[in-house]
Amino acid sequence: MNILQINTSARTSGANSTRLADLVSARLRVLQPEAGLKVRDLARDPHPVLDAPSLAALFTPAEQRTAEQAARVALDDALIAEVQAADVIVLGVPMYNFGVSVQLKSWIDAIARAGVTFRYTANGSEGLLQGKKVYVALARGGIYRDTPADTQVSYLKILLAFLGMSDVTFIYAEGLALGGDAEDKAFVEAGAQIQALSL
C-alpha cells in the first residue's frame, strides 16, 4: 500500500493540520506496517499557482512547448504521478478564512487535468483517479462541523468525487483557538476518530 500525505498549511512547522495528518498516516502504518509513505509539504516545497503562463503552457501541444513551458508542465506532472501511484491519500487541511489554503488550491489545480485525471464523455464527466481511499484531516480554530460556515467539506467532496475519489473520510480537530484546554480536547477527540480507523 502506498500512502501519499499532502500537508497544505502555509506553516513550515507547528501546523495543527500537519500534526493531525501525521497522526492519521501513523495510524495507517500501524494497520499496514509494510505501507510506503510519501510526504509532500507544500509550505516547504511550494507549488506555483495557476496563472496565465501556466495555462498557456498546459494548452500548448507538448511538441510545441518552449523549454520554460515544458518545465512548468513537468511540475504538475510530478504531482499527478504521485496521486496516480497512491492507494491512500491523506490531506492535512487547515481552514483559512472559511476556505482552503492557497497551497491546497494550487495542488488541486495541478492534479485536476482533463484527459488525465478526469475526462468528459457523452454521459458527463468521469473521474479517472478511482479506487483510492482519502482521509481529510481538518484543523480549525473554531467549530464549524455540520454548519453552513463549513465550506471545506462540501467543496472537497465535490472536487474529489469529480476526480474519481468518492471514498473519503473526514477527521476533525476543531475549536483549536478557543483557549483553555480546547486544543488538548480537540486532539483527544480527533485521536479517538483516528484510532477507530480501519482498512
Side-chain angles (χ1 to χ4, degrees):
M1 185 174 78
N2 293 319
I3 303 169
L4 173 63
Q5 178 179 326
I6 306 292
N7 299 333
T8 73
S9 172
R11 294 177 174 158
T12 57
S13 63
N16 283 317
S17 58
T18 299
R19 176 183 170 189
L20 196 60
D22 287 343
L23 292 172
V24 173
S25 292
R27 172 61 178 165
L28 296 177
R29 296 189 82 189
V30 168
L31 295 171
Q32 184 67 263
E34 296 181 358
L37 175 62
K38 162 76 177 179
V39 178
R40 179 171 286 274
D41 190 310
L42 295 171
R44 297 180 185 277
D45 184 16
H47 195 79
V49 299
L50 188 64
D51 56 13
S54 303
L55 284 172
L58 287 166
F59 283 99
T60 299
E63 67 277 5
Q64 297 177 23
R65 289 173 186 149
T66 65
E68 183 178 58
Q69 288 178 323
R72 176 61 185 86
V73 173
L75 295 176
D76 288 0
D77 289 344
L79 298 192
I80 291 171
E82 288 178 350
V83 174
Q84 290 172 327
D87 302 299
V88 177
I89 298 169
V90 178
L91 295 175
V93 180
M95 177 179 275
Y96 293 163
N97 301 315
F98 299 98
V100 300
S101 66
V102 68
Q103 288 78 14
L104 177 52
K105 186 59 168 61
S106 294
W107 181 80
I108 289 168
D109 289 339
I111 68 163
R113 187 185 299 173
V116 179
T117 57
F118 72 92
R119 64 185 174 190
Y120 293 110
T121 73
N123 298 317
S125 62
E126 178 187 4
L128 301 177
L129 296 174
Q130 299 179 15
K132 301 179 188 299
K133 174 66 183 177
V134 182
Y135 296 93
V136 181
L138 299 159
R140 285 95 172 265
I143 298 174
Y144 304 103
R145 184 176 183 176
D146 298 327
T147 74
D150 188 354
T151 64
Q152 290 182 312
V153 168
S154 58
Y155 169 65
L156 289 172
K157 280 182 178 178
I158 292 168
L159 181 282
L160 293 168
F162 179 76
L163 297 177
M165 296 179 282
S166 56
D167 187 359
V168 183
T169 297
F170 292 89
I171 296 156
Y172 299 80
E174 294 197 300
L176 295 168
L178 298 183
D181 62 353
E183 181 175 334
D184 291 340
K185 180 182 177 184
F187 272 94
V188 167
E189 292 175 353
Q193 295 176 61
I194 292 167
Q195 287 303 308
L197 296 179
S198 59
L199 294 174

